[in-house]
Amino acid sequence: MSWRLDSAAFVAAWHAACASDEVLAVWQGSWNTTFAIACDGVEERFRFVDGRCVPGLGTPAFTLSAPAGVWEKFLQPIPPRHHHAIFALRMRVPEFRIEGDELAFAQHCHIARRVLEVGKWLHLGNTDRKSTRLNSS
């Protein structure tokens, strides 16, 4: 199963998890961006103001786009080769595209990576907030 971008409950949980994520909180600062994750023509936008994930659409500076089959592989607990990270997808999976402002992507790729990690964590059915930490000790 791919991203559930058409599920209001999943999308709301994803945004809430990003807003309260400890890793994203470390990166808060005087920067703003909006980007989208797209699957088969459906997209979800993530807006950051002063480094915080906030409600609102905004215009995406860049979009990470792939068909459902590519995202399904990315979302596996242990993804197959070339489907584990943004740059692996970009370099080795022709169906994956980064559309929009390349500079904005380069400046915020670590944010997009973390948003994808949080989304994957939710997609796999995790609810324990400690499991999103890089170091749970």
Side-chain angles (χ1 to χ4, degrees):
M1 177 185 284
S2 186
W3 294 118
R4 296 172 291 195
L5 300 180
D6 57 349
S7 166
F10 176 77
V11 168
W14 194 357
H15 280 270
C18 287
S20 63
D21 184 64
E22 293 177 3
V23 175
L24 288 171
V26 170
W27 295 330
Q28 290 174 0
S30 59
W31 57 270
N32 304 311
T33 194
T34 300
F35 62 89
I37 296 169
C39 178
D40 293 337
V42 179
E43 75 173 24
E44 185 55 37
R45 296 177 184 184
F46 291 85
R47 181 172 175 235
F48 287 80
V49 175
D50 293 327
R52 292 182 169 85
C53 188
V54 298
L57 294 178
T59 301
F62 61 91
T63 300
L64 307 177
S65 179
V70 171
W71 286 125
E72 286 170 9
K73 291 176 183 177
F74 171 81
L75 291 168
Q76 291 178 13
I78 300 174
R81 185 175 169 189
H82 307 313
H83 290 80
H84 64 285
I86 294 173
F87 286 103
L89 287 162
R90 182 179 188 191
M91 300 305 289
R92 299 288 185 209
V93 180
E95 301 88 359
F96 179 83
R97 294 182 317 280
I98 300 170
E99 302 164 342
D101 186 340
E102 287 279 330
L103 178 59
F105 168 72
Q107 292 170 327
H108 301 101
C109 62
H110 61 296
I111 304 300
R113 177 193 53 80
R114 184 58 183 171
V115 168
L116 289 172
E117 288 174 351
V118 171
K120 180 176 179 174
W121 172 82
L122 290 170
H123 175 82
L124 293 173
N126 293 298
T127 56
D128 176 18
R129 294 295 304 154
K130 285 186 98 175
S131 66
T132 62
R133 293 183 185 168
L134 293 177
N135 180 357
S136 60
S137 59

